[in-house]
Every structure is written in C-alpha cells, then in structure tokens.
C-alpha cells in the first residue's frame, strides 16, 4: 500500500506559467509489447515441441538396433538427434548409420506423428496470433514508431484524418511537406495506404489526446515542426493542445473548435491559432457583403497559382436577413450579420421559409444537406434575386451544391483546412490577408490593380526573401555604401525602365509586419520581404540579389563589368584614355 503522505508534494513557488516542470515526453513501448505477446502465446506450443523432440531423441537412442553384421548396436545421442532433426521436420534422409530395426522404426513412426501434431499446434497458434487484433496493433505501432524515428526532414503531426485533416494532408503533400497522422478510426488510417502521396505518410490508430500516442507520433522528435488538432471532437482537440503546451511549448499548434468556451481554453494553453469555422465563415460572409472587392482580393491571393481573377459581386445593401439554421451555426451567423449592421429574422428549419419577400439575404444552415437544398429551392422560386447562402454538411454533396449554384457555400472542413494550411505554411501571407480584411474596397481595388498590372490576371505565388548575407549578399554590399528602395530592387534586371513581375505584399522589420509597404521604402539589412509573383518571379531578382553590379545598373542605368577580367580591362581602357 502506498504511503498517503507521499501523495502530497512539497509546495514550490509558483508562477503564472501553466508549465511548472519540464518532463520527458512519454511514448508507448510497442516493441516490447509485440515481443511479449509473441512469447506469451507461443510459450505452450514451444514447450510441446521441445518435449516431443527431446523424448523422441532420447527414446531413439535407447531403442536397440543392429549393425550391418547383425551385432547389437544403439545410436548415440548425437546420431539420434541428427536423425530426428530431419525426420521431425519431414525432410527425410534415410536410416543411418545402419538400417533400423523393427523397434526403431516403430519409435520413429510414433515420433513422426507426434512431431506433426506438435507442429500443427504451433502453426495454428501462429496463425491465431497473426489474426489477433492486439498483436496486429502492437506490430503496427512498432512499425509506425520506427518510421517516425527515421524521418530526417521536418514534419507535422495531424491529429484527425477526417474532412479537414485529409484536406490539410493533401495540401502539405503538394508542396512536399512531410506529415504523420493519428486517428481513432482504423478505416481512416487504412485509407492512407491508398492515397497517392508523393512520400510515405505514417499513420497510427489511437487517441491523439493521449500524450503517449503523441510521443510515439514524434512529439519529442527534433524534426517535429508543429501539431494540427483536426479531430471532430473539441475536447480531444483541447487535449492535444494541452499535451503540446505542457510537453513541448515551443511547437506551434493549430486547433479546430466549434465551441467558444473550449476555444478560449485552447488559447489559455498557448494554441498558436484556434479556428472556429462557424465564426470565420460569418466574418468572410460579412466582408463579402459589405466589401466584396476586399474579399475578392483575399480569395484570389489564396487561390492556386494562375487562377484567373473573377468579377466581384456588388455589395448587399442594408436590410433584413432570413436565417433558417440550427445549433452553433445559427448563433454564430446571426451574431456576425447583426455586427455587420443587418437585421435578422429566424425561423425553424422544420417549418419552412414561408413568405420571404422583402428580405435581402437568406441563410439555410440545417444539419442535413437535403433540408438546406429544399429551403434554398423554396426561396429561389419566390425571390430569384435574393442573396442565397447554404451550409454544406457533407463533402459528398458537393456536386449538388455546385449545380444549385448559391451565392455562398459553407463547408466547415474545407474552411478549416484552408485557414490551417495558410497559417502554418505561409504565416506571413496570412498576416497580409488579415490586414486586407480590414481594408476598404477602394484600397483593395487599388492594390489589386497594381498586382494585375505587374503580374497579370493569374493569381500570383507568395514567397519570402530575407536580405541576409546568405540570400542577398549583393544587396548587402550595395547597402553598405548607398541606399536602395523597394521599387529599385523590383526593377527588371535587363531594362531598368520597367519592373519585374514581382510585387511586395509585406515587409517585416524589427519584428513588426508592414502590409503592402510603399515601394519608396528604403531597404535595410535584415529586412524580411513577402513577395508575390508568377511561378518564375525569383529568377528576375536572382542576379540583383547576388551581384552588386546588377543593382548599380538598375539604379543608375550604368553598365558595370561583372567579372574580374572585364573590370581589369575596363581600368586599362580608362587609364589609356587619360
């Protein structure tokens, strides 16, 4: 019995930090579990085999026989061991060193049948063990842990491989980012084997909120780059956030939560980002209603590379919205619409929309796609011009919603996956998009025209450039004796009168992010630029970044020799002229 006095720890001086002690990250000892199961199940069959073989060997050595001359002869223990070794395994090499007597043949015959029964028993137990769920899970976990330990490049842990988790995994795979998956449902883990990923994605069936499972998935691995809590259970996501913060607080963690109270708990435990899809959709919806150009710019910059720029919808005037929704989605969408200055009327989803004339917009937010489409059809027949917003509950219903073509579609996993991917892969781009969400339509239109003029109508690709000795040595050499503005850096290397197809989305200086900095901004060593361009935009700046002579050409228009030989010849030519 445990001494109850040992259950009380000496009180230490506490701080406001949630993590008071640094502890080692636990991990399941799956290797020993698999070996233990194997030895425990095979103990009796192995004992039976050893007993049968031992009795057969010593019995054959004791049974009398004769040699070639008919003289009595007994096999030695070694000879009996040799004979039974190939007899018990059904190989058979004959009777050696002499032909067996009748008694010896009877004993060998009995030994053969006994060994066959023992082998059948052992093989049957092996087959039974292979089909045992506990043993298969132990072997699978052992294989999973070995794959994770041998990963030599940065990876993310994705907790939950449902709608949002699978979308994030595919997006990470497209940019050659490694990841590890944990999910409670074995069918989802089995689905990883059939996904056409460019690299192997280890998966483990288990509870992601279990710290041992997270440890097995690589939480303590030096290459772990972050954790994504994408399960459909808010409490499980909170458990993941708590485990990461208490065990490895330096790792970024992005979590999905539908409940505001649980989301607040996640923030208390240091979650880098908490995504509430219902709340975020309302934010996007109200931006599109009041400032459609700003939403158009955000969606265009978040779209895949080369996506054409579409047309923005006109803003929705003040008026009343009709909301037929239920649950948390109803509360969130009504709160956001009222915050945007609209009046809201709610009707139960089971009562139908009734008379809907006089409303400027309609939201169908039931848990059933069938109900939402039916409500949307009823509204469209009465008022075809009304702004129609529908909630899509299941991804399989996407073709129906695409054919119905409402003005806005809300699919929670898709929204979570997009935001999660943007926040962990391109955090600076996300910081820029959050700034754009507060811009006026006039400011957004001005910047969008600037991007289109510089890069074309296809959506550009965002990328980072740091003015450091490794990435821009030519720029640093120039800044050591002269100034360089952002506009000068972005000039075309072969024609200073025009610009390269590159625009600046942001500039980070001294830890402060500046969105859409003026191109007249003077650059400084250590500046971190967020640029956007078509696919080969970096190629236009590469020469200027590494060659000071190119910068002098784009700034002054004066061609300067770039190689040592031409510089020497240039000096000789100047001296001769003098």
């Amino acid at each position: 019995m445990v001494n109850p006095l040992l259950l009380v720890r000496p009180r230490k001086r506490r701080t406001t930090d949630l993590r008071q002690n640094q502890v080692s990250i636990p991990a399941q000892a799956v290797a020993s579990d698999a070996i233990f199961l194997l030895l425990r199940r095979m103990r009796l069959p192995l004992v039976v085999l050893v007993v049968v073989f031992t009795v057969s060997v010593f019995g054959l050595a004791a049974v009398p026989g004769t040699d070639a001359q008919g003289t009595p002869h007994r096999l030695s223990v070694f000879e009996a061991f040799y004979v039974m070794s190939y007899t018990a395994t059904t190989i058979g090499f004959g009777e050696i060193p002499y032909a067996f007597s009748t008694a010896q043949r009877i004993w060998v015959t009995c030994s053969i049948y006994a060994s066959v029964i023992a082998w059948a028993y052992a093989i049957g137990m092996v087959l039974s063990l292979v089909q045992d769920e506990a043993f298969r899970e132990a072997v699978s976990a052992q294989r999973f842990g070995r794959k994770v330990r041998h990963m030599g490049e940065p990876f993310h842990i994705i907790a939950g491989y449902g709608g949002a988790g699978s979308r994030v995994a595919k997006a990470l795979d497209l940019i050659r980012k490694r990841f590890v998956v944990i999910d409670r449902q074995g069918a989802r883990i089995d689905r990883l084997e059939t996904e056409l990923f460019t690299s192997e994605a280890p998966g483990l069936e288990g509870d992601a909120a279990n710290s041992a499972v997270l440890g097995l998935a690589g939480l303590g691995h030096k290459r772990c780059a972050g954790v994504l809590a994408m399960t459909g259970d808010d409490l499980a996501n909170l458990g993941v956030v708590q485990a990461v913060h208490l065990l490895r607080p330096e790792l970024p963690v992005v979590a999905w939560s539908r409940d505001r109270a649980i989301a607040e708990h996640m923030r208390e435990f240091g979650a880098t980002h908490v995504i509430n899809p219902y709340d975020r959709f309302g934010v996007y919806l109200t931006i599109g209603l009041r400032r459609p150009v700003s939403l158009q710019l955000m969606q265009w910059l978040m779209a895949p590379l080369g996506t054409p720029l579409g047309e923005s919808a006109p803003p929705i005037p003040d008026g009343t919205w009709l909301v037929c929704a239920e649950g948390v989605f109803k509360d969130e969408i009504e709160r956001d619409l009222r915050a945007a200055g609209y009046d809201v009327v709610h009707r139960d989803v089971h009562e139908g929309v009734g008379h809907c004339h006089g409303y400027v917009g309609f939201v169908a937010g039931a848990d059933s796609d069938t109900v939402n489409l039916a409500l949307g059809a009823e509204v469209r027949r009465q008022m075809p011009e009304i702004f129609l917003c529908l909630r899509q509950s299941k991804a399989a219903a996407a073709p129906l919603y695409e054919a119905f073509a409402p003005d806005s579609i809300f699919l929670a996993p898709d929204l979570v996956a997009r935001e999660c991917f943007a926040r962990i892969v391109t955090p600076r781009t996300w910081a820029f998009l959050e700034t754009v969400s507060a811009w006026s339509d006039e400011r957004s239109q001005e910047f969008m025209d600037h991007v289109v003029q510089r890069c074309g109508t296809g959506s550009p690709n965002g990328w980072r450039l740091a003015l450091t000795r490794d990435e821009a040595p030519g720029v640093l050499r120039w800044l050591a004796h002269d100034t360089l503005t952002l506009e000068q850096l972005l000039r075309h290397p072969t024609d200073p009168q025009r610009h390269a197809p590159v625009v600046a989305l942001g500039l980070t200086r001294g830890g402060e992010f500046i969105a859409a900095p003026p191109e007249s901004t003077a650059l400084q060593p250590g500046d971190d630029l967020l640029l956007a361009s078509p696919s080969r935009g970096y190629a236009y700046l590469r020469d200027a970044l590494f060659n000071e002579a190119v910068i002098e050409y784009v700034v002054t228009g004066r061609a300067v020799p770039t190689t040592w030989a031409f510089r020497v010849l240039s000096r000789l030519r100047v001296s001769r002229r003098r």
Side-chain angles (χ1 to χ4, degrees):
M1 182 175 179
V2 179
N3 187 345
L5 296 179
L6 299 179
L7 300 178
V8 180
R9 298 185 178 184
R11 184 172 178 83
K12 299 180 180 180
R13 186 173 181 178
R14 303 295 176 85
T15 65
T16 57
D17 294 337
L18 299 181
R19 188 192 193 197
Q20 298 290 320
N21 297 317
Q22 183 175 354
V23 299
S24 59
I25 299 176
Q28 293 176 334
V30 293
S32 60
D33 288 346
I35 295 175
F36 174 75
L37 287 174
L38 177 64
L39 294 178
R40 186 178 65 179
R41 292 292 186 87
M42 295 302 298
R43 178 175 55 190
L44 183 58
L46 291 177
V47 169
V48 172
L49 276 174
V50 171
V51 169
V52 169
F53 190 77
T54 302
V55 172
S56 300
V57 169
F58 284 98
L60 183 60
V63 174
T66 58
D67 57 14
Q69 288 77 29
T71 306
H73 175 269
R74 283 186 172 85
L75 274 67
S76 66
V77 174
F78 174 75
E79 291 174 334
F81 175 80
Y82 177 69
V83 171
M84 291 309 304
S85 294
Y86 63 69
T87 301
T89 55
T90 68
I91 298 174
F93 282 153
E95 300 173 349
I96 56 175
Y98 308 109
F100 289 169
S101 64
T102 301
Q104 288 176 318
R105 289 173 179 171
I106 293 175
W107 182 261
V108 170
T109 301
C110 295
S111 299
I112 290 175
Y113 283 103
S115 62
V116 167
I117 295 174
W119 277 113
Y121 176 48
I123 294 175
M125 188 58 69
V126 170
L127 295 177
S128 175
L129 180 63
V130 170
Q131 296 176 357
D132 185 79
E133 184 176 357
F135 180 76
R136 294 172 61 183
E137 289 179 357
V139 173
S140 177
Q142 179 183 354
R143 188 184 304 113
F144 170 82
R146 184 169 57 252
K147 292 178 181 178
V148 172
R149 288 192 300 271
H150 293 165
M151 294 184 75
E153 51 190 307
F155 65 93
H156 285 81
I157 300 176
I158 301 178
Y161 196 67
S166 60
R167 285 173 170 82
V168 173
K170 293 175 182 178
L172 290 175
D173 183 70
L174 286 176
I175 60 173
R176 302 297 192 272
K177 296 287 187 180
R178 298 294 302 275
F179 55 89
V180 173
V181 176
I182 307 172
D183 198 284
R184 290 180 178 177
Q185 299 185 22
R188 292 177 177 176
I189 299 301
D190 294 339
R191 201 172 68 198
L192 283 172
E193 301 292 336
T194 61
E195 300 284 5
L196 300 179
F197 291 134
T198 56
S199 57
E200 185 180 11
L204 175 66
E205 180 182 356
D207 183 8
N210 187 335
S211 57
V213 175
L214 283 173
L216 183 62
L219 183 61
H221 198 291
K222 62 180 181 179
R223 295 289 185 178
C224 183
V227 181
L228 312 177
M230 298 285 106
T231 70
D233 186 351
D234 284 1
L235 289 177
N237 291 337
L238 176 59
V240 173
V241 173
Q242 291 173 340
V244 175
H245 179 74
L246 295 176
L247 297 177
R248 287 201 65 185
E250 73 278 7
L251 285 182
V253 54
V254 181
W256 171 12
S257 176
R258 303 180 182 89
D259 187 272
R260 284 178 174 264
I262 295 181
E264 187 59 31
H265 291 317
M266 292 179 178
R267 296 185 182 94
E268 291 174 354
F269 273 93
T272 310
H273 301 289
V274 180
I275 303 173
N276 184 338
Y278 299 144
D279 179 49
R280 296 301 299 171
F281 174 73
V283 172
Y284 291 136
L285 178 62
T286 53
I287 292 175
L289 297 176
R290 293 301 192 184
R291 291 172 284 114
V293 178
S294 297
L295 181 63
Q296 179 191 21
L297 176 61
M298 294 173 62
Q299 293 177 337
W300 185 55
L301 293 177
M302 290 177 64
L305 179 65
T307 302
L309 177 63
E311 297 181 359
S312 63
I316 303 300
D318 292 335
T320 304
W321 278 69
L322 177 61
V323 176
C324 291
E326 56 187 349
V328 179
F329 178 74
K330 176 187 81 69
D331 299 333
E332 294 288 351
I333 198 68
E334 289 183 358
R335 181 185 294 109
D336 291 325
L337 288 174
R338 289 193 176 97
Y342 294 100
D343 296 326
V344 178
V345 173
H346 174 260
R347 290 181 185 170
D348 190 270
V349 295
H350 303 291
E351 296 178 357
V353 297
H355 180 73
C356 61
H357 289 279
Y359 297 106
V360 297
F362 171 76
V363 178
D367 295 334
S368 170
D369 290 320
T370 303
V371 174
N372 291 333
L373 289 171
L375 295 174
E378 187 176 353
V379 172
R380 178 170 286 177
R381 290 193 187 97
Q382 295 186 43
M383 293 187 64
E385 69 281 1
I386 196 173
F387 189 94
L388 200 58
C389 172
L390 302 184
R391 173 191 174 190
Q392 180 182 340
S393 297
K394 297 181 180 180
L400 304 181
Y401 284 91
E402 184 178 357
F404 192 78
D407 298 292
S408 179
I409 301 176
F410 166 62
L411 179 60
D414 185 68
L415 187 149
V416 171
R418 287 177 180 271
E419 282 211 13
C420 180
F421 179 79
R423 289 177 184 271
I424 64 173
V425 177
T426 56
R428 291 177 176 82
T429 302
W430 184 256
F432 172 76
L433 294 176
E434 287 187 325
T435 303
V436 172
S437 65
W439 282 358
S440 65
D441 269 3
E442 292 74 15
R443 177 74 177 90
S444 298
Q445 186 66 56
E446 178 184 356
F447 186 80
M448 186 160 52
D449 293 340
H450 172 65
V451 177
V452 171
Q453 180 184 8
R454 189 74 61 85
C455 301
T457 57
S459 59
N461 179 42
W463 50 283
R464 171 182 170 272
L465 173 63
L467 300 185
T468 61
R469 188 174 301 276
D470 294 332
E471 297 187 29
V475 174
L476 293 187
R477 288 194 297 268
W478 177 267
L479 291 177
H481 59 80
D482 211 332
T483 60
L484 180 68
T485 64
L486 181 59
E487 184 269 338
Q488 292 171 336
L489 178 65
L490 299 183
R491 289 180 184 177
H492 200 285
T494 61
D495 185 5
Q497 301 303 319
R498 60 192 182 97
H499 292 87
V502 182
V503 296
L505 300 182
L507 183 149
T508 303
R509 177 180 295 172
E512 180 183 358
F513 179 80
I514 304 172
E519 292 197 341
S520 59
T521 302
L523 298 175
Q524 298 180 6
D527 284 348
D528 201 319
L529 298 174
L530 174 63
L531 305 176
S533 67
S535 58
R536 295 176 56 83
Y538 175 79
Y540 292 95
L541 304 183
R542 181 176 52 210
D543 292 341
L545 296 176
F546 289 89
N547 197 330
E548 184 182 356
V550 177
I551 298 180
E552 184 172 353
Y553 175 67
V554 298
V555 173
T556 65
R558 182 174 62 253
V560 180
T562 58
T563 63
W564 176 84
F566 276 101
R567 288 180 180 178
V568 173
L569 292 176
S570 178
R571 294 194 195 99
L572 292 175
R573 186 178 303 171
V574 171
S575 62
R576 288 176 181 176
R577 289 178 180 177
R578 292 178 179 176

